[in-house]
Amino acid sequence: MDNNVRRSMPLFSMGIVQKLTGLTARQIRYYEENELIHPERTAGNRRVFSFNDVDRLLDIKSLLDEGVNLAGIRRVLSEKPVEANRPVEDKKAMSEADLMKFLKTELVSAGKFGKSSLIQGELSRFFK
DNA sequence: ATTCTAACA
DNA sequence: TGTTAGCA
């Protein structure tokens, strides 16, 4: 279960999440306002997303492509537990290089579990 | 350089 | 949703 710790560990900066999800900062912040995601905040008020957050964001993105509105998305995601992210100190966001390494291991474990095909589908493009 | 909030020619 | 202003 050590993976849950990692997945709830806040380490993604806004910029990284934008690249990872293809969503705009505006959208990401808007979804947070609607409590679709609950990223942590650094001492400087910067958002720090966990892998769980990115996962939900990708879910939201796919639902958006399917033409589901915010209310609908809320319904779908409300059925999913909202594990709170772990508190984060003042640490700077993980470097992109280390981040990619982490994502790679995530993709491997995800495949190992046959889980979240979404993650593989959406993020695999970063490893081609 | 990056992200944040608030607001709208 | 985009975009921009003014901060931190």
Side-chain angles (χ1 to χ4, degrees):
Chain A
M1 288 294 164
D2 199 355
N3 266 313
N4 287 311
V5 176
R6 301 184 116 190
R7 296 182 70 76
S8 60
M9 185 190 298
L11 32 64
F12 303 103
S13 67
M14 173 55 84
I16 297 298
V17 175
Q18 287 187 64
K19 293 179 182 177
L20 255 33
T21 65
L23 296 169
T24 65
R26 180 77 169 82
Q27 289 177 295
I28 297 172
R29 294 177 185 128
Y30 181 64
Y31 302 147
E32 179 187 22
E33 284 185 62
N34 284 277
E35 301 186 279
L36 265 35
I37 54 175
H38 304 90
E40 275 297 320
R41 291 301 183 112
T42 64
N45 198 41
R46 267 62 214 286
R47 264 167 276 249
V48 190
F49 308 79
S50 68
F51 209 95
N52 282 327
D53 292 322
V54 175
D55 207 337
R56 289 177 78 81
L57 248 11
L58 291 175
D59 284 345
I60 293 172
K61 187 188 179 187
S62 60
L63 288 171
L64 247 33
D65 292 332
E66 291 170 35
V68 182
N69 57 49
L70 264 275
I73 294 176
R74 258 187 227 113
R75 273 190 18 246
V76 178
L77 296 185
S78 65
E79 295 169 16
K80 299 214 164 197
V82 185
E83 322 91 56
N85 291 329
R86 297 210 148 32
V88 59
E89 298 76 56
D90 47 89
K91 298 174 184 175
K92 273 95 182 177
M94 188 179 274
S95 73
E96 264 196 72
D98 291 328
L99 177 58
M100 289 316 205
K101 272 197 257 179
F102 179 65
L103 289 180
K104 196 158 190 173
T105 63
E106 271 298 326
L107 289 180
V108 174
S109 57
K112 206 170 184 178
F113 287 66
K115 193 191 173 186
S116 189
S117 58
L118 248 181
I119 293 179
Q120 293 199 61
E122 297 292 334
L123 302 183
S124 61
R125 63 191 167 101
F126 291 101
F127 304 102
K128 292 173 182 174

